[in-house]
Amino acid sequence: MNNIIRLSIVLALVTLVAAFVLAEIYSVTKPQIELQKLAKTQEALNIVLPDAEQIIPKTNKVPVKDSEGKTLYEKDVIAYYTAYSDADTTDIIGYAFKAEGNGYSSVIETMVGIDTTGLIKNIKIVSQKETPGLGDLSENDEPFTGKKWSTQQFRDKTLEALKVDKDGGEIVSITGATITSRTITNSIRDELKGMLTKIKEPNKPDMEN
Amino acid sequence: MSLLSEVIKGIYKENPVFRLALGLCPVLAVSTSIFNAIGMGAATTFVLLSSNIIVSLLILLFSKILSEQGQKSINKIRIPMFIVVIASFVTIVEMVMSAYFPALSESLGIFIPLIVVNCIILGRAEGFASKNPLIPSIADAIGMGIGFTLALVAIAFARELLGSGELLGINILGANFKPVLLMILPPGAFLVIGLYLALLNWLDLRKKA
């Protein structure tokens, strides 16, 4: 009996010290990690909407419910971003949104920028954990030559053209990673479809309010 | 045995990957590029060094404050204690890496938390650090860490060169080189490890003859 108590105390002490050290380091690194995430989103936004002077996120209130369906509180979730060409946010020049889909072995997140008519301006893969070495090819953003996958090939594509070549579309897929290419393309198409209804009349972007 | 030979044994004679065949899971997974291999090697070396130091000190502490019988009973909980120590250091690495090296943390992904179950680390804590004084334990960790990193880099060298025609992300084999896809995929890792093992065994046999 004595022995069990002694062992428990020793193990508890070891874990206590470990937990204390981890808590300290967590509080130091947490703000930095948040900062990195924000910087990454900002960088992606700048790539897909290069002409924007100001980019403002549009948030939706999403209720968080408990197990009985009662609303506990409402959470702000970013639906999309609106880009303005001036600092006073009067002249809308485009939108950006995130598309998400299940790839070969991970969830692929893509930031997509469109102009007010719904034409894609540029896309940027924000995160993917596909097969190492192969999945990285999906992030290729070299000028599009017509033969090899590049994120630049999405420029000016319409909804109908957003299919990989194997499915009869215009997107050149990654050699050896058709599933990855298809996921990116399809997730963008689905998300764009929803986006287009939100900005029904291209020349009256005030509709969203 | 001198300290230097303690370090050197980890690099060649008892190389954790090629001789002890320990920790093969991360070796297979992250040896697709030299950049990843160095990052993984450094992270593992840090955890190995820190856990060897703490384990060695813990054992020293117990031998000072506990009776012979107490030490014997503490022996029963040594594995959980080691795991707590190792897991703490791995969590530290994970937090620091995602705060200050986001690109590396992104490409290593799940394999950083999985260092906890890398058998090299528990193997050295249990097999060496818990039975030896502090200084030799440090030498052992440094040797094993370097050995692990070198093995990873050696495998990544072959895989990155043949699988994507690059070394450290710089194109070596020219634009006309057609990458051997197999080398980036898991079978390529098995193939390369097998060939290295065969080469080392052949060298040993030749030396004996």
Side-chain angles (χ1 to χ4, degrees):
Chain A
M1 196 55 207
N2 239 341
N3 206 4
I4 291 181
I5 292 170
R6 181 163 51 193
L7 292 185
S8 314
I9 290 173
V10 170
L11 202 52
L13 279 177
V14 170
T15 44
L16 204 68
V17 172
F20 180 76
V21 172
L22 284 182
E24 274 303 305
I25 294 183
Y26 178 76
S27 66
V28 172
T29 52
K30 180 91 194 302
Q32 191 65 30
I33 295 173
E34 294 288 312
L35 222 64
Q36 297 280 12
K37 271 189 198 152
L38 266 179
K40 226 181 144 193
T41 311
Q42 196 55 48
E43 192 205 325
L45 282 172
N46 287 341
I47 288 173
V48 300
L49 294 168
D51 310 323
E53 180 71 28
Q54 190 149 350
I55 299 173
I56 293 175
K58 162 104 170 109
T59 53
N60 279 345
K61 296 252 186 251
V62 174
V64 177
K65 287 177 180 164
D66 63 6
S67 53
E68 286 159 13
K70 254 194 283 171
T71 306
L72 294 175
Y73 59 94
E74 287 190 325
K75 208 169 79 175
D76 280 335
V77 175
I78 294 172
Y80 58 89
Y81 301 85
T82 314
Y84 301 90
S85 66
D86 49 3
D88 335 317
T89 68
T90 48
D91 177 29
I92 296 180
I93 55 165
Y95 304 90
F97 56 90
K98 253 186 197 167
E100 239 181 57
N102 285 314
Y104 186 68
S105 58
S106 67
V107 175
I108 307 173
E109 267 184 34
T110 315
M111 183 69 85
V112 185
I114 57 174
D115 62 14
T116 46
T117 61
L119 274 185
I120 293 177
K121 297 188 85 168
N122 205 354
I123 71 160
K124 160 103 180 123
I125 311 289
V126 183
S127 81
Q128 55 88 12
K129 290 196 176 71
E130 300 288 278
T131 313
L134 253 184
D136 299 347
L137 296 177
S138 67
E139 295 178 18
N140 177 28
D141 55 1
E142 291 162 14
F144 182 56
T145 57
K147 285 183 211 147
K148 215 173 103 200
W149 166 280
S150 155
T151 54
Q152 298 220 7
Q153 67 175 313
F154 284 88
R155 243 174 222 171
D156 299 334
K157 285 281 186 298
T158 55
L159 210 53
E160 294 74 41
L162 277 178
K163 270 182 195 161
V164 290
D165 40 14
K166 279 194 186 166
D167 298 343
E170 289 179 18
I171 302 296
V172 178
S173 48
I174 305 162
T175 318
T178 311
I179 296 176
T180 305
S181 324
R182 189 177 281 148
T183 301
I184 295 171
T185 312
N186 290 355
S187 67
I188 292 174
R189 193 183 60 225
D190 293 347
E191 203 63 38
L192 182 61
K193 221 182 267 173
M195 217 34 220
L196 287 179
T197 54
K198 279 178 204 149
I199 47 169
K200 275 174 232 156
E201 283 186 83
N203 293 323
K204 275 193 190 165
D206 296 327
M207 287 296 287
E208 45 142 349
N209 290 325
Chain B
M1 190 128 99
S2 75
L3 284 178
L4 193 65
S5 67
E6 206 73 81
V7 173
I8 288 172
K9 106 193 154 197
I11 297 173
Y12 187 72
K13 214 174 90 212
E14 286 181 29
N15 185 294
V17 177
F18 293 138
R19 301 294 179 168
L20 310 178
L22 285 178
L24 287 183
C25 166
V27 171
L28 295 171
V30 301
S31 60
T32 48
S33 77
I34 294 179
F35 179 68
N36 282 358
I38 293 172
M40 187 67 185
T44 309
T45 307
F46 170 77
V47 175
L48 195 54
L49 187 61
S50 320
S51 67
N52 259 16
I53 290 173
I54 299 295
V55 164
S56 189
L57 286 178
L58 268 179
I59 299 292
L60 184 73
L61 179 74
F62 290 144
S63 73
K64 288 270 152 60
I65 57 169
L66 291 174
S67 63
E68 189 111 329
Q69 206 205 344
Q71 283 180 51
K72 222 178 234 169
S73 67
I74 285 290
N75 220 9
K76 283 181 195 155
I77 53 163
R78 68 182 193 285
I79 299 286
M81 269 190 327
F82 296 167
I83 292 286
V84 168
V85 171
I86 294 167
S88 305
F89 282 114
V90 170
T91 315
I92 290 173
V93 168
E94 197 194 352
M95 290 193 292
V96 170
M97 203 179 256
S98 57
Y100 301 104
F101 307 99
L104 190 61
S105 118
E106 188 118 312
S107 65
L108 293 179
I110 185 71
F111 295 100
I112 289 298
L114 280 181
I115 296 177
V116 177
V117 288
N118 188 324
C119 36
I120 298 170
I121 293 160
L122 186 61
R124 293 329 283 180
E126 162 75 3
F128 198 94
S130 67
K131 295 179 185 126
N132 287 284
L134 180 61
I135 303 295
S137 297
I138 293 176
D140 177 74
I142 293 174
M144 284 292 160
I146 294 175
F148 181 71
T149 311
L150 284 181
L152 261 173
V153 170
I155 298 163
F157 176 83
R159 292 184 70 192
E160 193 180 359
L161 187 65
L162 296 173
S164 45
E166 296 174 342
L167 283 179
L168 279 168
I170 299 157
N171 201 313
I172 299 283
L173 295 179
N176 287 328
F177 173 72
K178 200 158 183 295
V180 187
L181 210 53
L182 178 80
M183 297 307 279
I184 307 185
L185 297 172
F190 282 111
L191 207 66
V192 174
I193 291 176
L195 288 174
Y196 272 122
L197 279 173
L199 180 72
L200 284 176
N201 283 342
W202 178 68
L203 285 176
D204 279 0
L205 281 175
R206 229 175 52 146
K207 220 193 260 168
K208 264 184 216 155

PDB file of all heavy atoms in Angstrom, chain B residues 104-137:
ATOM      1  N   LEU B 104       8.433  24.592 -42.228  1.00  0.00           N
ATOM      2  CA  LEU B 104       8.935  23.271 -41.856  1.00  0.00           C
ATOM      3  C   LEU B 104       7.856  22.480 -41.134  1.00  0.00           C
ATOM      4  O   LEU B 104       7.625  21.310 -41.413  1.00  0.00           O
ATOM      5  CB  LEU B 104      10.164  23.433 -40.961  1.00  0.00           C
ATOM      6  CG  LEU B 104      10.963  22.177 -40.670  1.00  0.00           C
ATOM      7  CD1 LEU B 104      11.498  21.585 -41.962  1.00  0.00           C
ATOM      8  CD2 LEU B 104      12.101  22.476 -39.717  1.00  0.00           C
ATOM      9  N   SER B 105       7.157  23.145 -40.218  1.00  0.00           N
ATOM     10  CA  SER B 105       6.145  22.447 -39.441  1.00  0.00           C
ATOM     11  C   SER B 105       5.021  21.967 -40.353  1.00  0.00           C
ATOM     12  O   SER B 105       4.431  20.920 -40.143  1.00  0.00           O
ATOM     13  CB  SER B 105       5.641  23.345 -38.321  1.00  0.00           C
ATOM     14  OG  SER B 105       4.293  23.626 -38.444  1.00  0.00           O
ATOM     15  N   GLU B 106       4.734  22.742 -41.396  1.00  0.00           N
ATOM     16  CA  GLU B 106       3.697  22.346 -42.346  1.00  0.00           C
ATOM     17  C   GLU B 106       4.102  21.091 -43.115  1.00  0.00           C
ATOM     18  O   GLU B 106       3.324  20.168 -43.295  1.00  0.00           O
ATOM     19  CB  GLU B 106       3.456  23.476 -43.331  1.00  0.00           C
ATOM     20  CG  GLU B 106       2.300  23.238 -44.218  1.00  0.00           C
ATOM     21  CD  GLU B 106       1.229  24.295 -44.028  1.00  0.00           C
ATOM     22  OE1 GLU B 106       0.867  24.580 -42.879  1.00  0.00           O
ATOM     23  OE2 GLU B 106       0.782  24.818 -45.019  1.00  0.00           O
ATOM     24  N   SER B 107       5.358  21.039 -43.569  1.00  0.00           N
ATOM     25  CA  SER B 107       5.744  19.906 -44.414  1.00  0.00           C
ATOM     26  C   SER B 107       6.022  18.660 -43.578  1.00  0.00           C
ATOM     27  O   SER B 107       5.917  17.549 -44.080  1.00  0.00           O
ATOM     28  CB  SER B 107       6.935  20.264 -45.299  1.00  0.00           C
ATOM     29  OG  SER B 107       8.062  20.507 -44.517  1.00  0.00           O
ATOM     30  N   LEU B 108       6.376  18.817 -42.294  1.00  0.00           N
ATOM     31  CA  LEU B 108       6.593  17.618 -41.476  1.00  0.00           C
ATOM     32  C   LEU B 108       5.287  17.133 -40.871  1.00  0.00           C
ATOM     33  O   LEU B 108       5.116  15.957 -40.591  1.00  0.00           O
ATOM     34  CB  LEU B 108       7.614  17.893 -40.381  1.00  0.00           C
ATOM     35  CG  LEU B 108       9.032  18.144 -40.889  1.00  0.00           C
ATOM     36  CD1 LEU B 108       9.977  18.422 -39.725  1.00  0.00           C
ATOM     37  CD2 LEU B 108       9.549  16.963 -41.682  1.00  0.00           C
ATOM     38  N   GLY B 109       4.365  18.071 -40.664  1.00  0.00           N
ATOM     39  CA  GLY B 109       3.012  17.741 -40.241  1.00  0.00           C
ATOM     40  C   GLY B 109       2.931  16.784 -39.070  1.00  0.00           C
ATOM     41  O   GLY B 109       3.516  16.997 -38.013  1.00  0.00           O
ATOM     42  N   ILE B 110       2.229  15.688 -39.279  1.00  0.00           N
ATOM     43  CA  ILE B 110       1.909  14.734 -38.224  1.00  0.00           C
ATOM     44  C   ILE B 110       3.157  14.041 -37.678  1.00  0.00           C
ATOM     45  O   ILE B 110       3.161  13.515 -36.581  1.00  0.00           O
ATOM     46  CB  ILE B 110       0.884  13.702 -38.746  1.00  0.00           C
ATOM     47  CG1 ILE B 110       0.403  12.738 -37.656  1.00  0.00           C
ATOM     48  CG2 ILE B 110       1.475  12.892 -39.885  1.00  0.00           C
ATOM     49  CD1 ILE B 110      -0.485  13.409 -36.652  1.00  0.00           C
ATOM     50  N   PHE B 111       4.262  14.065 -38.425  1.00  0.00           N
ATOM     51  CA  PHE B 111       5.422  13.291 -37.988  1.00  0.00           C
ATOM     52  C   PHE B 111       6.178  13.919 -36.837  1.00  0.00           C
ATOM     53  O   PHE B 111       6.989  13.261 -36.202  1.00  0.00           O
ATOM     54  CB  PHE B 111       6.344  13.000 -39.177  1.00  0.00           C
ATOM     55  CG  PHE B 111       5.655  12.128 -40.164  1.00  0.00           C
ATOM     56  CD1 PHE B 111       5.088  12.639 -41.307  1.00  0.00           C
ATOM     57  CD2 PHE B 111       5.496  10.784 -39.895  1.00  0.00           C
ATOM     58  CE1 PHE B 111       4.400  11.840 -42.177  1.00  0.00           C
ATOM     59  CE2 PHE B 111       4.797   9.970 -40.762  1.00  0.00           C
ATOM     60  CZ  PHE B 111       4.252  10.497 -41.915  1.00  0.00           C
ATOM     61  N   ILE B 112       5.910  15.204 -36.541  1.00  0.00           N
ATOM     62  CA  ILE B 112       6.517  15.812 -35.350  1.00  0.00           C
ATOM     63  C   ILE B 112       5.891  15.218 -34.080  1.00  0.00           C
ATOM     64  O   ILE B 112       6.613  14.656 -33.260  1.00  0.00           O
ATOM     65  CB  ILE B 112       6.422  17.349 -35.405  1.00  0.00           C
ATOM     66  CG1 ILE B 112       7.370  17.882 -36.483  1.00  0.00           C
ATOM     67  CG2 ILE B 112       6.757  17.979 -34.078  1.00  0.00           C
ATOM     68  CD1 ILE B 112       8.834  17.581 -36.230  1.00  0.00           C
ATOM     69  N   PRO B 113       4.537  15.291 -33.915  1.00  0.00           N
ATOM     70  CA  PRO B 113       3.975  14.646 -32.725  1.00  0.00           C
ATOM     71  C   PRO B 113       4.323  13.157 -32.635  1.00  0.00           C
ATOM     72  O   PRO B 113       4.431  12.612 -31.534  1.00  0.00           O
ATOM     73  CB  PRO B 113       2.465  14.850 -32.881  1.00  0.00           C
ATOM     74  CG  PRO B 113       2.250  15.714 -34.044  1.00  0.00           C
ATOM     75  CD  PRO B 113       3.527  16.075 -34.653  1.00  0.00           C
ATOM     76  N   LEU B 114       4.533  12.526 -33.780  1.00  0.00           N
ATOM     77  CA  LEU B 114       4.817  11.089 -33.758  1.00  0.00           C
ATOM     78  C   LEU B 114       6.238  10.770 -33.286  1.00  0.00           C
ATOM     79  O   LEU B 114       6.575   9.606 -33.113  1.00  0.00           O
ATOM     80  CB  LEU B 114       4.581  10.477 -35.140  1.00  0.00           C
ATOM     81  CG  LEU B 114       3.124  10.186 -35.470  1.00  0.00           C
ATOM     82  CD1 LEU B 114       2.996   9.554 -36.836  1.00  0.00           C
ATOM     83  CD2 LEU B 114       2.495   9.290 -34.425  1.00  0.00           C
ATOM     84  N   ILE B 115       7.076  11.807 -33.069  1.00  0.00           N
ATOM     85  CA  ILE B 115       8.407  11.535 -32.513  1.00  0.00           C
ATOM     86  C   ILE B 115       8.262  10.856 -31.154  1.00  0.00           C
ATOM     87  O   ILE B 115       9.115  10.077 -30.739  1.00  0.00           O
ATOM     88  CB  ILE B 115       9.235  12.841 -32.383  1.00  0.00           C
ATOM     89  CG1 ILE B 115       9.499  13.450 -33.765  1.00  0.00           C
ATOM     90  CG2 ILE B 115      10.571  12.583 -31.716  1.00  0.00           C
ATOM     91  CD1 ILE B 115      10.236  14.774 -33.688  1.00  0.00           C
ATOM     92  N   VAL B 116       7.140  11.135 -30.463  1.00  0.00           N
ATOM     93  CA  VAL B 116       6.897  10.520 -29.153  1.00  0.00           C
ATOM     94  C   VAL B 116       7.068   9.012 -29.225  1.00  0.00           C
ATOM     95  O   VAL B 116       7.667   8.394 -28.340  1.00  0.00           O
ATOM     96  CB  VAL B 116       5.464  10.841 -28.658  1.00  0.00           C
ATOM     97  CG1 VAL B 116       5.202  10.139 -27.344  1.00  0.00           C
ATOM     98  CG2 VAL B 116       5.275  12.325 -28.494  1.00  0.00           C
ATOM     99  N   VAL B 117       6.553   8.430 -30.288  1.00  0.00           N
ATOM    100  CA  VAL B 117       6.600   6.969 -30.376  1.00  0.00           C
ATOM    101  C   VAL B 117       7.779   6.490 -31.211  1.00  0.00           C
ATOM    102  O   VAL B 117       7.842   5.315 -31.572  1.00  0.00           O
ATOM    103  CB  VAL B 117       5.283   6.393 -30.930  1.00  0.00           C
ATOM    104  CG1 VAL B 117       4.193   6.519 -29.914  1.00  0.00           C
ATOM    105  CG2 VAL B 117       4.897   7.059 -32.232  1.00  0.00           C
ATOM    106  N   ASN B 118       8.719   7.391 -31.513  1.00  0.00           N
ATOM    107  CA  ASN B 118       9.911   6.956 -32.228  1.00  0.00           C
ATOM    108  C   ASN B 118      10.734   6.087 -31.275  1.00  0.00           C
ATOM    109  O   ASN B 118      11.147   6.533 -30.202  1.00  0.00           O
ATOM    110  CB  ASN B 118      10.720   8.175 -32.673  1.00  0.00           C
ATOM    111  CG  ASN B 118      11.861   7.791 -33.582  1.00  0.00           C
ATOM    112  OD1 ASN B 118      12.472   6.747 -33.403  1.00  0.00           O
ATOM    113  ND2 ASN B 118      12.144   8.636 -34.542  1.00  0.00           N
ATOM    114  N   CYS B 119      10.968   4.838 -31.676  1.00  0.00           N
ATOM    115  CA  CYS B 119      11.574   3.916 -30.722  1.00  0.00           C
ATOM    116  C   CYS B 119      13.039   4.231 -30.422  1.00  0.00           C
ATOM    117  O   CYS B 119      13.582   3.766 -29.432  1.00  0.00           O
ATOM    118  CB  CYS B 119      11.405   2.471 -31.179  1.00  0.00           C
ATOM    119  SG  CYS B 119      11.517   2.274 -32.939  1.00  0.00           S
ATOM    120  N   ILE B 120      13.676   5.061 -31.275  1.00  0.00           N
ATOM    121  CA  ILE B 120      15.059   5.429 -30.963  1.00  0.00           C
ATOM    122  C   ILE B 120      15.114   6.136 -29.611  1.00  0.00           C
ATOM    123  O   ILE B 120      15.977   5.857 -28.785  1.00  0.00           O
ATOM    124  CB  ILE B 120      15.637   6.387 -32.026  1.00  0.00           C
ATOM    125  CG1 ILE B 120      15.680   5.715 -33.387  1.00  0.00           C
ATOM    126  CG2 ILE B 120      17.022   6.851 -31.640  1.00  0.00           C
ATOM    127  CD1 ILE B 120      16.008   6.671 -34.498  1.00  0.00           C
ATOM    128  N   ILE B 121      14.155   7.038 -29.379  1.00  0.00           N
ATOM    129  CA  ILE B 121      14.235   7.896 -28.200  1.00  0.00           C
ATOM    130  C   ILE B 121      13.977   7.107 -26.926  1.00  0.00           C
ATOM    131  O   ILE B 121      14.760   7.165 -25.978  1.00  0.00           O
ATOM    132  CB  ILE B 121      13.273   9.079 -28.360  1.00  0.00           C
ATOM    133  CG1 ILE B 121      13.792   9.961 -29.501  1.00  0.00           C
ATOM    134  CG2 ILE B 121      13.187   9.884 -27.091  1.00  0.00           C
ATOM    135  CD1 ILE B 121      12.784  10.864 -30.099  1.00  0.00           C
ATOM    136  N   LEU B 122      12.872   6.357 -26.914  1.00  0.00           N
ATOM    137  CA  LEU B 122      12.617   5.535 -25.725  1.00  0.00           C
ATOM    138  C   LEU B 122      13.714   4.487 -25.579  1.00  0.00           C
ATOM    139  O   LEU B 122      14.160   4.175 -24.475  1.00  0.00           O
ATOM    140  CB  LEU B 122      11.242   4.865 -25.820  1.00  0.00           C
ATOM    141  CG  LEU B 122      10.836   4.111 -24.559  1.00  0.00           C
ATOM    142  CD1 LEU B 122      10.758   5.051 -23.373  1.00  0.00           C
ATOM    143  CD2 LEU B 122       9.507   3.406 -24.744  1.00  0.00           C
ATOM    144  N   GLY B 123      14.171   3.961 -26.713  1.00  0.00           N
ATOM    145  CA  GLY B 123      15.234   2.949 -26.687  1.00  0.00           C
ATOM    146  C   GLY B 123      16.495   3.474 -26.026  1.00  0.00           C
ATOM    147  O   GLY B 123      17.115   2.794 -25.209  1.00  0.00           O
ATOM    148  N   ARG B 124      16.892   4.692 -26.345  1.00  0.00           N
ATOM    149  CA  ARG B 124      18.114   5.252 -25.756  1.00  0.00           C
ATOM    150  C   ARG B 124      17.879   5.640 -24.309  1.00  0.00           C
ATOM    151  O   ARG B 124      18.787   5.534 -23.476  1.00  0.00           O
ATOM    152  CB  ARG B 124      18.611   6.468 -26.547  1.00  0.00           C
ATOM    153  CG  ARG B 124      19.098   6.193 -27.945  1.00  0.00           C
ATOM    154  CD  ARG B 124      19.699   4.849 -28.152  1.00  0.00           C
ATOM    155  NE  ARG B 124      21.053   4.715 -27.648  1.00  0.00           N
ATOM    156  CZ  ARG B 124      21.775   3.588 -27.739  1.00  0.00           C
ATOM    157  NH1 ARG B 124      21.249   2.519 -28.306  1.00  0.00           N
ATOM    158  NH2 ARG B 124      22.982   3.537 -27.250  1.00  0.00           N
ATOM    159  N   ALA B 125      16.663   6.133 -23.974  1.00  0.00           N
ATOM    160  CA  ALA B 125      16.377   6.494 -22.585  1.00  0.00           C
ATOM    161  C   ALA B 125      16.438   5.247 -21.708  1.00  0.00           C
ATOM    162  O   ALA B 125      17.075   5.231 -20.656  1.00  0.00           O
ATOM    163  CB  ALA B 125      15.000   7.151 -22.484  1.00  0.00           C
ATOM    164  N   GLU B 126      15.797   4.187 -22.176  1.00  0.00           N
ATOM    165  CA  GLU B 126      15.723   2.946 -21.405  1.00  0.00           C
ATOM    166  C   GLU B 126      17.051   2.185 -21.454  1.00  0.00           C
ATOM    167  O   GLU B 126      17.558   1.714 -20.450  1.00  0.00           O
ATOM    168  CB  GLU B 126      14.582   2.086 -21.977  1.00  0.00           C
ATOM    169  CG  GLU B 126      14.599   0.623 -21.607  1.00  0.00           C
ATOM    170  CD  GLU B 126      14.163   0.389 -20.180  1.00  0.00           C
ATOM    171  OE1 GLU B 126      13.800   1.374 -19.513  1.00  0.00           O
ATOM    172  OE2 GLU B 126      14.217  -0.768 -19.743  1.00  0.00           O
ATOM    173  N   GLY B 127      17.625   2.102 -22.630  1.00  0.00           N
ATOM    174  CA  GLY B 127      18.798   1.254 -22.800  1.00  0.00           C
ATOM    175  C   GLY B 127      20.098   1.915 -22.423  1.00  0.00           C
ATOM    176  O   GLY B 127      21.075   1.240 -22.105  1.00  0.00           O
ATOM    177  N   PHE B 128      20.157   3.238 -22.472  1.00  0.00           N
ATOM    178  CA  PHE B 128      21.435   3.890 -22.186  1.00  0.00           C
ATOM    179  C   PHE B 128      21.346   4.900 -21.041  1.00  0.00           C
ATOM    180  O   PHE B 128      22.016   4.746 -20.018  1.00  0.00           O
ATOM    181  CB  PHE B 128      21.977   4.572 -23.446  1.00  0.00           C
ATOM    182  CG  PHE B 128      23.446   4.890 -23.356  1.00  0.00           C
ATOM    183  CD1 PHE B 128      24.405   4.021 -23.847  1.00  0.00           C
ATOM    184  CD2 PHE B 128      23.875   6.065 -22.750  1.00  0.00           C
ATOM    185  CE1 PHE B 128      25.755   4.300 -23.739  1.00  0.00           C
ATOM    186  CE2 PHE B 128      25.226   6.350 -22.641  1.00  0.00           C
ATOM    187  CZ  PHE B 128      26.169   5.477 -23.129  1.00  0.00           C
ATOM    188  N   ALA B 129      20.502   5.919 -21.189  1.00  0.00           N
ATOM    189  CA  ALA B 129      20.512   7.037 -20.231  1.00  0.00           C
ATOM    190  C   ALA B 129      20.148   6.596 -18.825  1.00  0.00           C
ATOM    191  O   ALA B 129      20.653   7.146 -17.853  1.00  0.00           O
ATOM    192  CB  ALA B 129      19.565   8.133 -20.701  1.00  0.00           C
ATOM    193  N   SER B 130      19.267   5.585 -18.691  1.00  0.00           N
ATOM    194  CA  SER B 130      18.862   5.183 -17.352  1.00  0.00           C
ATOM    195  C   SER B 130      19.935   4.344 -16.661  1.00  0.00           C
ATOM    196  O   SER B 130      19.841   4.061 -15.484  1.00  0.00           O
ATOM    197  CB  SER B 130      17.544   4.410 -17.413  1.00  0.00           C
ATOM    198  OG  SER B 130      17.740   3.183 -18.061  1.00  0.00           O
ATOM    199  N   LYS B 131      20.955   3.929 -17.410  1.00  0.00           N
ATOM    200  CA  LYS B 131      21.990   3.082 -16.810  1.00  0.00           C
ATOM    201  C   LYS B 131      23.347   3.756 -16.775  1.00  0.00           C
ATOM    202  O   LYS B 131      24.319   3.175 -16.289  1.00  0.00           O
ATOM    203  CB  LYS B 131      22.102   1.777 -17.609  1.00  0.00           C
ATOM    204  CG  LYS B 131      20.854   0.932 -17.540  1.00  0.00           C
ATOM    205  CD  LYS B 131      20.999  -0.321 -18.351  1.00  0.00           C
ATOM    206  CE  LYS B 131      19.688  -1.087 -18.354  1.00  0.00           C
ATOM    207  NZ  LYS B 131      19.231  -1.382 -19.700  1.00  0.00           N
ATOM    208  N   ASN B 132      23.442   4.961 -17.359  1.00  0.00           N
ATOM    209  CA  ASN B 132      24.736   5.626 -17.440  1.00  0.00           C
ATOM    210  C   ASN B 132      24.671   7.024 -16.851  1.00  0.00           C
ATOM    211  O   ASN B 132      23.600   7.619 -16.783  1.00  0.00           O
ATOM    212  CB  ASN B 132      25.189   5.705 -18.907  1.00  0.00           C
ATOM    213  CG  ASN B 132      25.636   4.351 -19.432  1.00  0.00           C
ATOM    214  OD1 ASN B 132      26.708   3.890 -19.112  1.00  0.00           O
ATOM    215  ND2 ASN B 132      24.762   3.719 -20.196  1.00  0.00           N
ATOM    216  N   PRO B 133      25.838   7.572 -16.449  1.00  0.00           N
ATOM    217  CA  PRO B 133      25.870   8.942 -15.918  1.00  0.00           C
ATOM    218  C   PRO B 133      25.533   9.971 -16.991  1.00  0.00           C
ATOM    219  O   PRO B 133      25.396   9.642 -18.170  1.00  0.00           O
ATOM    220  CB  PRO B 133      27.316   9.119 -15.441  1.00  0.00           C
ATOM    221  CG  PRO B 133      27.940   7.776 -15.475  1.00  0.00           C
ATOM    222  CD  PRO B 133      27.140   6.917 -16.385  1.00  0.00           C
ATOM    223  N   LEU B 134      25.460  11.216 -16.532  1.00  0.00           N
ATOM    224  CA  LEU B 134      24.983  12.299 -17.396  1.00  0.00           C
ATOM    225  C   LEU B 134      25.829  12.497 -18.650  1.00  0.00           C
ATOM    226  O   LEU B 134      25.301  12.520 -19.776  1.00  0.00           O
ATOM    227  CB  LEU B 134      24.927  13.599 -16.582  1.00  0.00           C
ATOM    228  CG  LEU B 134      24.456  14.847 -17.320  1.00  0.00           C
ATOM    229  CD1 LEU B 134      23.040  14.665 -17.830  1.00  0.00           C
ATOM    230  CD2 LEU B 134      24.539  16.068 -16.429  1.00  0.00           C
ATOM    231  N   ILE B 135      27.143  12.649 -18.469  1.00  0.00           N
ATOM    232  CA  ILE B 135      27.992  13.029 -19.606  1.00  0.00           C
ATOM    233  C   ILE B 135      27.978  11.972 -20.723  1.00  0.00           C
ATOM    234  O   ILE B 135      27.754  12.309 -21.892  1.00  0.00           O
ATOM    235  CB  ILE B 135      29.434  13.342 -19.138  1.00  0.00           C
ATOM    236  CG1 ILE B 135      29.425  14.445 -18.066  1.00  0.00           C
ATOM    237  CG2 ILE B 135      30.312  13.756 -20.314  1.00  0.00           C
ATOM    238  CD1 ILE B 135      28.940  15.795 -18.550  1.00  0.00           C
ATOM    239  N   PRO B 136      28.177  10.695 -20.406  1.00  0.00           N
ATOM    240  CA  PRO B 136      28.077   9.696 -21.491  1.00  0.00           C
ATOM    241  C   PRO B 136      26.692   9.680 -22.146  1.00  0.00           C
ATOM    242  O   PRO B 136      26.582   9.446 -23.356  1.00  0.00           O
ATOM    243  CB  PRO B 136      28.352   8.362 -20.790  1.00  0.00           C
ATOM    244  CG  PRO B 136      29.112   8.725 -19.580  1.00  0.00           C
ATOM    245  CD  PRO B 136      28.613  10.069 -19.153  1.00  0.00           C
ATOM    246  N   SER B 137      25.636   9.973 -21.367  1.00  0.00           N
ATOM    247  CA  SER B 137      24.285   9.995 -21.941  1.00  0.00           C
ATOM    248  C   SER B 137      24.152  11.099 -22.979  1.00  0.00           C
ATOM    249  O   SER B 137      23.517  10.927 -24.016  1.00  0.00           O
ATOM    250  CB  SER B 137      23.237  10.218 -20.853  1.00  0.00           C
ATOM    251  OG  SER B 137      23.251   9.153 -19.952  1.00  0.00           O
TER     252      SER B 137
END
